[in-house]
């Protein structure tokens, strides 16, 4: 399901001469790969940064990032870098309507629309689009927000295509200040079990109440959720509260009592 490996983060002459086992695996692995540099920040101790290309929509990158953020009990920031288009001066003048500011504005709107269209994902998502070259923009954003992990897609190019176009994914894995989860296009997706995801409106077995409530309380301590609670059945239908920040839950199996702690209640 997942390969976890270290990387030396070599660059320049040393990388050309010695090559990189990690990059070789990133291009060929049949499943997602988590790479960790020797000086990387601890895994998961910070928000999840999803470096998203718009063409990654069908490759499970966003889904994996959302599931990971949910499992870690942290927030998810979805980031897109708008790379400047460098053209000769005459063409640049003629294409004045496609200025960088307009491209960034369009990217922000498209990214926000993409996230709004995915209410099924189990975590609140923030969108961020900035102008800049992809690799330094992703690395600098991860440093600035103290990311605990970067999630990214990869085309898995080899040969001439990789030599001419380079690889953003491999460069990010070499330079990132935190662990990097890379999902190569065509590889198996990263899956999260239903019990671990704690998603969706579904009945929870009484035997699982204690463990589920403990997990929810842990997430609430790290990053308070907005929750709504309603009573259904037993002649007591109706909303208890809506949109309150969850602070924790306790369950007493002897009294069969659930205590829900939220801000202002």
């Amino acid at each position: 399901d997942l390969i976890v490996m270290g990387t030396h983060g070599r660059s320049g002459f040393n990388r050309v001469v010695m090559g990189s086992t990690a990059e070789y695996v990133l291009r060929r692995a049949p499943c997602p790969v988590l790479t960790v540099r020797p000086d990387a920040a601890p895994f998961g101790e910070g928000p999840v940064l999803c470096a998203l290309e718009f063409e990654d929509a069908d490759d499970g990158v966003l889904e994996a990032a959302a599931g990971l953020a949910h499992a870690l009990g942290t927030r998810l920031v979805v980031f897109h870098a708008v790379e400047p288009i460098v053209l000769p001066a005459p063409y640049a003048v003629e294409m004045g309507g496609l200025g960088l500011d307009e491209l960034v504005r369009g990217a922000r709107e498209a990214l926000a629309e993409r996230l709004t269209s995915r209410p099924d994902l189990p975590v609140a998502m923030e969108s961020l689009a900035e102008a800049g070259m992809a690799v330094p923009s992703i690395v600098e954003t991860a440093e600035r927000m103290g990311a605990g992990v970067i999630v990214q897609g990869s085309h898995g190019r080899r040969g001439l295509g990789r030599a001419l176009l380079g690889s953003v994914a491999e460069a990010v894995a070499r330079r990132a200040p935190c662990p990097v989860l890379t999902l190569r296009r065509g590889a198996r997706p990263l899956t999260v079990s239903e019990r671990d995801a704690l998603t969706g409106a579904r009945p929870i077995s009484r035997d699982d109440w204690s463990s589920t409530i403990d997990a929810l309380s842990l997430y609430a301590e790290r990053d308070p959720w907005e929750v709504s609670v309603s009573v259904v059945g037993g002649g007591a239908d109706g909303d208890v509260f809506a949109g309150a920040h969850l602070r924790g839950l306790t369950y007493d199996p002897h009294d069969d009592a659930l205590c829900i702690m939220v801000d202002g209640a």
Side-chain angles (χ1 to χ4, degrees):
D1 291 332
L2 177 68
I3 295 173
V4 180
M5 64 186 306
T7 175
H8 297 283
R10 295 189 185 99
S11 59
F13 181 75
N14 287 336
R15 178 170 162 263
V16 172
V17 173
M18 304 183 69
S20 169
T21 299
E23 292 179 6
Y24 184 95
V25 173
L26 286 175
R27 294 193 298 273
R28 292 168 171 79
C31 61
V33 180
L34 182 71
T35 51
V36 185
R37 289 180 43 167
D39 57 350
F43 173 77
E45 293 190 6
V48 174
L49 176 64
C50 177
L52 189 71
E53 294 184 38
F54 288 111
E55 59 193 50
D56 289 336
D58 299 325
D59 293 331
V61 177
L62 183 59
E63 290 82 352
L68 191 57
H70 188 85
L72 293 171
T74 189
R75 64 190 179 98
L76 172 63
V77 178
V78 183
F79 176 76
H80 178 75
V82 181
E83 295 192 320
I85 300 175
V86 181
L87 296 173
Y91 297 99
V93 171
E94 291 180 7
M95 298 180 65
L98 289 178
L100 191 56
D101 291 342
E102 287 77 10
L103 292 175
V104 171
R105 188 178 303 112
R108 288 173 178 165
E109 293 174 354
L111 194 57
E113 183 178 352
R114 174 71 54 79
L115 302 190
T116 302
S117 68
R118 297 301 308 271
D120 57 307
L121 296 179
V123 67
M125 296 175 285
E126 305 170 29
S127 60
L128 177 63
E130 296 180 353
M133 302 306 292
V135 175
S137 295
I138 294 169
V139 171
E140 290 168 8
T141 300
E143 292 174 343
R144 185 171 67 244
M145 63 185 283
V149 61
I150 296 171
V151 180
Q152 63 174 356
S154 171
H155 297 280
R157 293 188 184 98
R158 309 182 201 175
L160 182 61
R162 176 171 168 270
L164 293 176
L165 297 172
S167 171
V168 170
E170 292 174 14
V172 169
R174 287 196 306 273
R175 297 173 53 183
C178 60
V180 179
L181 179 67
T182 303
L183 294 88
R184 183 180 62 81
R185 181 166 298 174
R188 293 192 299 272
L190 180 69
T191 59
V192 179
S193 71
E194 182 180 359
R195 180 170 179 176
D196 289 339
L198 298 171
T199 60
R202 59 184 178 85
I204 300 175
S205 168
R206 185 179 294 270
D207 294 338
D208 292 333
W209 280 9
S210 293
S211 60
T212 301
I213 289 170
D214 288 345
L216 288 170
S217 294
L218 178 62
Y219 297 152
E221 290 175 5
R222 295 176 176 171
D223 188 14
W225 296 349
E226 287 190 357
V227 296
S228 300
V229 174
S230 300
V231 177
V232 180
D237 292 359
D239 293 336
V240 178
F241 48 78
H245 283 96
L246 177 67
R247 292 299 178 183
L249 305 98
T250 59
Y251 172 64
D252 186 343
H254 300 293
D255 296 334
D256 198 21
L258 175 65
C259 178
I260 303 173
M261 293 163 284
V262 296
D263 285 349

